[in-house]
Amino acid sequence: MTSAFKKVAVFVKPTEIMVVPLQALIKVIEACGAEVFLCERSAASLKGRSNRPGHPRAELGAMCDLAIVLGGDGTMLGVARDLAGFDIPIIGVNAGRLGFITDIVLEDMETILPQVLAGRYTRDVRRMLACEVVRKGKSIFSGIAVNDVGISHGRAGGMVEFVIYVNGQSQSADGIICSTSTGSTAYSLAAGGPILHPSLQGLCLVPVAPHTLSNRPIVLPANVAIDIELTNARDAVAYCDMQEFFDVQPGDVLKIRPTEMTMTMLHPAGYDYFDLLRRKLKWNFMPTSVKRRTNSSGS
């Protein structure tokens, strides 16, 4: 089967248990006629087993026409941020746990991945978020996120007090999450936020463990400018995708803005978002005890 892509960048979560799946992935890609380029961590994980060189992520983004991530959603998020701006699509092979954005399971890789490489896929473009921390009028941190941007209590714990300049209301909570539709099934969902279909260009603003029940999640248009001013906290951090962290202090303002940067994912043909939700969130799961009661009542 001939690949529609010529140069494929491969990224992997660098653990010993990923060595065999990585070697299998390389064989699948090369069998389809594409050339494989490894990131530095992928090459390092094969040390002693292969002499393939490793390349910096930015270099791979500039030279390759496809990226394949072998790992979990966390690995996928990090690669997507590093490749933002290169307009290179990403395929996720799930070797982690939930896998909302790495949707080819490892056991099916050898049968499904060649079909995707041959051009039988669904293209899925997701908007990203840009943020910066401003202190006394000066920008001291900037970043981008696929899932979410927010403020959370740090090592000391305790409540974080902040003012959100979308509606000007002060809130007290453990933190605040500003989530994209992609991130609505991640930390935002765990904090009680709604699920947004990825085709919706909206943002979820979700307080984490708010002091008052009236502080509820809200869905906002994707083009709004959100400013979150930290007013009081013993210890707090701003974060991007819960992977990049920056210490903040009272008076700092976290500015969240829409950006033209996107993450483009390639799903296998026939991909269905609602089927994904049913499988990952166990919506089709009925406990055995319930099944027994249902069967007995219907007999």
Side-chain angles (χ1 to χ4, degrees):
M1 191 174 293
T2 303
S3 173
F5 304 93
K6 303 303 180 184
K7 297 181 178 180
V8 178
V10 172
F11 303 84
V12 69
K13 184 176 182 179
T15 61
E16 182 64 28
I17 61 172
M18 299 302 291
V19 171
V20 173
L22 175 58
Q23 291 174 318
L25 173 59
I26 293 171
K27 288 182 179 178
V28 170
I29 297 170
E30 291 183 332
C32 293
E35 189 175 1
V36 174
F37 297 86
L38 301 181
C39 73
E40 293 171 318
R41 290 183 177 182
S42 299
S45 68
L46 293 179
K47 189 175 181 180
R49 300 177 176 88
S50 171
N51 59 357
R52 293 175 180 270
H55 302 269
R57 291 188 174 187
E59 182 180 313
L60 292 174
M63 67 188 293
C64 295
D65 53 1
L66 176 70
I68 298 180
V69 176
L70 176 63
D73 284 356
T75 308
M76 186 85 155
L77 293 174
V79 171
R81 288 197 309 274
D82 288 339
L83 297 184
F86 288 106
D87 194 28
I88 173 174
I90 305 175
I91 297 173
V93 178
N94 182 26
R97 290 177 293 179
L98 274 179
F100 275 98
I101 54 176
T102 49
D103 52 1
I104 298 179
V105 297
L106 191 59
E107 292 77 11
D108 295 336
M109 178 180 68
E110 294 185 2
T111 56
I112 294 180
L113 184 56
Q115 299 176 32
V116 178
L117 291 176
R120 293 194 285 275
Y121 57 75
T122 298
R123 193 177 185 89
D124 184 1
V125 181
R126 307 284 183 92
R127 292 286 297 273
M128 301 175 74
L129 282 177
C131 71
E132 66 173 336
V133 174
V134 175
R135 179 176 298 165
K136 296 179 179 179
K138 181 180 179 181
S139 178
I140 56 175
F141 169 80
S142 63
I144 57 173
V146 177
N147 270 356
D148 44 44
V149 174
I151 293 178
S152 179
H153 64 71
R155 294 170 292 277
M159 302 300 288
V160 176
E161 295 182 5
F162 45 86
V163 178
I164 302 173
Y165 291 100
V166 173
N167 55 10
Q169 182 180 358
S170 177
Q171 296 191 30
S172 295
D174 279 356
I176 186 76
I177 306 166
C178 182
S179 165
T180 63
S181 56
T182 303
S184 69
T185 51
Y187 186 31
S188 172
L189 181 63
I195 296 175
L196 296 187
H197 191 278
S199 64
L200 294 176
Q201 298 300 316
L203 299 176
C204 300
L205 202 58
V206 183
V208 180
H211 250 191
T212 62
L213 292 178
S214 61
N215 288 340
R216 309 308 303 162
I218 185 172
V219 178
L220 300 170
N223 60 353
V224 298
I226 299 172
D227 292 340
I228 303 173
E229 180 181 0
L230 186 65
T231 58
N232 187 31
R234 286 188 297 163
D235 187 23
V237 294
Y239 63 84
C240 295
D241 289 338
M242 275 295 173
Q243 292 182 336
E244 294 184 359
F245 299 90
F246 186 82
D247 291 332
V248 291
Q249 60 191 37
D252 289 352
V253 178
L254 174 63
K255 293 181 173 290
I256 304 172
R257 302 290 186 267
T259 175
E260 294 302 316
M261 291 186 178
T262 59
M263 173 181 70
T264 299
M265 296 184 291
L266 304 184
H267 303 293
Y271 168 81
D272 183 280
Y273 182 70
F274 294 104
D275 177 63
L276 173 72
L277 293 180
R278 284 192 294 271
R279 288 186 288 109
K280 300 301 182 180
L281 299 180
K282 310 297 183 185
W283 284 355
N284 59 344
F285 174 76
M286 182 181 292
T288 303
S289 58
V290 176
K291 290 180 180 179
R292 288 173 180 167
R293 290 198 300 269
T294 303
N295 292 337
S296 61
S297 63
S299 58

